[in-house]
């Protein structure tokens, strides 16, 4: 039992309780998954067009284009299903084909043109190489044995 002049919980216990509360009350749309990168792909931006379908030309006489986009094809290690989703340019540059990653992400619901219903889209926030987590766990295990 705590003494009269001591707090009931320490800051560490309070932080742990907050983490547990947040984990229990988080959105179901957040996930963490082991994936194997099959292929990354750069998709060139298409030419911008006006209402009549003519390409828009800038001041230098070049056709204006939309920004390039990047796609990731991966296999979900827990289900074996192959999927493709869009990624950022930075992720495109960092990911290595054939490597296994722990991917953190969320499911966003987006509306497209003439659809009345929203479409679920996977958006990855962070990729951590699985080998790094394995090495870290092994080092901790060795530290506990010593």
């Amino acid at each position: 039992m705590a003494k009269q002049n001591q707090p009931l919980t320490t800051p560490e216990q309070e932080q742990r309780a907050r983490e547990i509360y947040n984990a229990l009350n988080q959105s179901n749309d957040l996930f963490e998954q082991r994936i194997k990168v099959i292929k990354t792909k750069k998709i060139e931006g298409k030419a911008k067009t006006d209402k009549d379908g003519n390409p828009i030309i800038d001041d230098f006489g070049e056709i204006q284009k939309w920004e390039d986009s990047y796609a990731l094809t991966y296999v979900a290690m827990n289900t074996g299903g192959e999927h493709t989703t869009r990624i950022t340019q930075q992720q495109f540059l960092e990911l290595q084909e054939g490597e296994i990653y722990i991917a953190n992400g969320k499911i966003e619901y987006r509306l497209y043109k003439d659809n009345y219903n929203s479409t679920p889209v996977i958006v990855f926030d962070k990729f951590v190489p699985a080998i790094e987590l394995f090495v870290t766990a092994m080092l901790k295990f060795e530290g506990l044995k010593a």
Side-chain angles (χ1 to χ4, degrees):
M1 185 159 161
K3 295 181 182 175
Q4 287 183 345
N5 59 357
Q6 289 181 334
L8 292 175
T9 59
T10 65
E12 293 83 22
Q13 290 172 327
E14 185 176 334
Q15 181 63 30
R16 248 183 277 133
R18 287 181 187 275
E19 289 172 1
I20 291 170
Y21 176 82
N22 288 334
L24 292 174
N25 293 301
Q26 75 177 353
S27 170
N28 290 335
D29 296 339
L30 300 175
F31 66 90
E32 181 175 280
Q33 186 174 34
R34 272 184 2 133
I35 66 167
K36 181 176 183 178
V37 174
I38 301 298
K39 181 172 69 171
T40 55
K41 181 179 177 183
K42 179 179 180 179
I43 303 165
E44 294 289 330
K46 294 182 179 179
K48 292 183 180 181
T49 57
D50 59 13
K51 293 179 189 176
D52 300 327
N54 300 323
I56 298 174
I57 299 176
D58 63 11
D59 297 337
F60 303 107
E62 295 179 3
I63 296 174
Q64 289 185 359
K65 291 188 173 188
W66 296 103
E67 291 184 12
D68 296 338
S69 59
Y70 303 90
L72 164 69
T73 301
Y74 65 95
V75 172
M77 300 298 280
N78 60 343
T79 61
E82 188 173 301
H83 307 282
T84 301
T85 189
R86 289 185 182 221
I87 55 174
T88 64
Q89 181 181 17
Q90 180 182 358
Q91 291 169 339
F92 173 77
L93 297 172
E94 291 175 356
L95 294 174
Q96 302 293 321
E97 293 181 5
E99 290 292 320
I100 296 174
Y101 293 91
I102 307 297
N104 294 321
K106 61 183 175 258
I107 300 172
E108 291 183 354
Y109 297 91
R110 298 182 181 166
L111 288 173
Y112 292 104
K113 277 191 180 178
D114 299 328
N115 291 349
Y116 293 108
N117 297 325
S118 60
T119 304
V121 178
I122 293 176
V123 178
F124 288 118
D125 299 323
K126 182 177 159 188
F127 294 92
V128 177
I131 189 75
E132 287 182 16
L133 294 176
F134 177 76
V135 169
T136 303
M138 292 305 292
L139 290 174
K140 284 183 182 178
F141 180 69
E142 288 296 321
L144 292 174
K145 285 175 65 175

